[in-house]
Amino acid sequence: MDAVRVALLRDVLAGTAWPAAARGFAGALRSSVVRHGGGLLLVGTAEYEPWHLAAHLVDEAMWAGLPELSPTLVRHRVEPSDPAHLAVGLGRLEAAGRGATLLVVAPRRPDGGLLERVHGARRAGATVLSLDGGDREVHGLAHESLTVDPARDEGVDLDTVQHLVSAAAGENSLPAPRGRGRLRDRLSRLADHLTSPPPARW
């Protein structure tokens, strides 16, 4: 999803708690990976692999000049023919410890094997975050979580929230306070911000 569409999505959801909640969660994610110099592991469930979130975080890492945000996608099934960046299996979670950040995306309750591995990573010192559908065990393992319940959060699903989170994780600064300006004006300011050169790094 491009920046203009994310801006439109935020405007649609402006009267809800979602933009602020996504920014808060993204801030926790960004803070963890920057503090530890990277080590972001992204894992879904056996039924749901967060491909799109991985791709968006890679893009945001590049645009924001924050390589720490670029995740390693951990997969439940790996084939011998898979390229290296898609060939990281669940065993990688067993090596996660202090300095690693583990982001779990679980629309529904994951199987016990994944939960055990996440619990082991947390015990070893990894920071665990979850984007989830409200499972209590996932919540219990996460240091920070953002829950999306389609039955309660009408019109908002996990994919939508992943777009908000990934975009917010790559932001270089806090958004300007909302005024009463027209949508076109707000989009124009966003476009100016996105096309301006990044600050010099010394």
Side-chain angles (χ1 to χ4, degrees):
M1 183 176 287
D2 61 50
V4 173
R5 288 181 182 171
V6 170
L8 287 170
L9 180 58
R10 285 174 173 164
D11 274 303
V12 168
L13 297 174
T16 73
W18 284 111
R23 282 195 172 102
F25 184 83
L29 173 64
R30 178 172 169 150
S31 173
S32 179
V33 298
V34 169
R35 181 172 68 248
H36 296 301
L40 175 58
L41 302 174
L42 175 61
V43 65
T45 65
E47 299 78 26
Y48 183 90
E49 284 194 328
W51 294 91
H52 284 103
L53 181 56
H56 287 306
L57 285 172
V58 168
D59 288 343
E60 293 295 338
M62 181 181 63
W63 293 330
L66 284 172
E68 301 92 341
L69 270 178
S70 190
T72 297
L73 180 62
V74 177
R75 305 181 63 208
H76 288 255
R77 289 176 297 279
V78 175
E79 301 296 333
S81 59
D82 289 336
H85 70 288
L86 296 177
V88 179
L90 290 175
R92 177 65 183 84
L93 300 182
E94 293 163 13
R98 191 166 304 280
T101 301
L102 175 55
L103 175 54
V104 180
V105 182
R108 286 171 292 283
R109 181 185 179 81
D111 64 54
L114 177 61
L115 290 172
E116 286 174 18
R117 287 180 166 98
V118 173
H119 182 60
R122 177 174 170 137
R123 266 202 330 260
T127 300
V128 178
L129 297 94
S130 72
L131 280 169
D132 60 69
D135 181 76
R136 286 196 294 180
E137 256 196 272
V138 174
H139 261 279
L141 290 173
H143 294 92
E144 189 84 26
S145 60
L146 186 57
T147 296
V148 186
D149 181 354
R152 183 195 65 201
D153 304 313
E154 189 176 344
V156 177
D157 59 18
L158 193 62
D159 287 337
T160 299
V161 173
Q162 287 178 73
H163 288 304
L164 292 174
V165 167
S166 59
E171 289 176 342
N172 286 314
S173 59
L174 293 173
R178 269 186 193 280
R180 294 182 175 269
R182 294 179 305 159
L183 173 60
R184 183 180 298 174
D185 296 332
R186 294 198 298 271
L187 289 176
S188 176
R189 286 195 298 273
L190 175 66
D192 289 343
H193 171 73
L194 292 172
T195 57
S196 62
R201 292 178 177 269
W202 302 101

